[in-house]
Amino acid sequence: MKKYIYSLMAILLALLTVGFTACSDDDEPEGSDIVGTWSYVADLPGDFAILLQFTKDGKFHEVINSTLVSPSHGTYTVSGHKLYLTYILENDTATVEYDYSVQGDKLMLYVEGQGPTTFTRVSDSVIEPYL
């Protein structure tokens, strides 16, 4: 009788273990770590700054030196550690590819042959007046 009870408990324990290790459906989609607004300020003479905003629906806005250049916009996609920005121009589009990584509140964009350009996460309200 004891063998039967121990066997039954072992089977029950095995079933519970399988039930708790099932796959989760709340995994974040690829690229969701960049959603939000990011700021880059260069260590150059003058006021050179870039604001980038990525939205959940795959769109982005870019503001360079908020007083000099009108905002750019387009769509973005992420594949692994690659970020593709497709700019919407007057009569055309242009796609730029970056390697990227996110570490906490830092977004690093890598251009081949150069070091990373590091952006810092900021509030969405920082870019909104320029859009």
Side-chain angles (χ1 to χ4, degrees):
M1 182 69 165
K2 284 185 180 181
K3 275 186 170 179
Y4 176 73
I5 292 175
Y6 286 127
S7 297
L8 185 60
M9 289 182 73
I11 292 171
L12 185 59
L13 181 62
L15 288 174
L16 287 174
T17 302
V18 170
F20 285 118
T21 59
C23 293
S24 169
D25 64 352
D26 63 352
D27 293 336
E28 292 187 13
E30 194 170 41
S32 63
D33 55 350
I34 66 170
V35 171
T37 301
W38 303 87
S39 173
Y40 168 76
V41 178
D43 292 331
L44 299 171
D47 295 327
F48 182 77
I50 300 172
L51 293 172
L52 275 173
Q53 182 182 59
F54 298 97
T55 61
K56 290 179 184 178
D57 61 355
K59 296 179 183 174
F60 78 92
H61 303 283
E62 176 183 61
V63 175
I64 300 173
N65 282 6
S66 57
T67 58
L68 299 177
V69 180
S70 61
S72 301
H73 65 281
T75 60
Y76 74 93
T77 56
V78 172
S79 178
H81 291 285
K82 297 282 188 187
L83 171 63
Y84 301 92
L85 301 181
T86 301
Y87 289 84
I88 299 172
L89 309 171
E90 287 183 23
N91 297 318
D92 203 3
T93 61
T95 301
V96 179
E97 174 186 325
Y98 296 98
D99 286 327
Y100 89 99
S101 66
V102 175
Q103 297 173 2
D105 68 343
K106 303 293 182 195
L107 166 65
M108 280 73 70
L109 298 182
Y110 302 87
V111 177
E112 190 174 323
Q114 298 178 6
T117 301
T118 303
F119 290 76
T120 302
R121 188 181 295 273
V122 295
S123 170
D124 289 339
S125 65
V126 173
I127 197 171
E128 289 172 359
Y130 308 108
L131 301 180

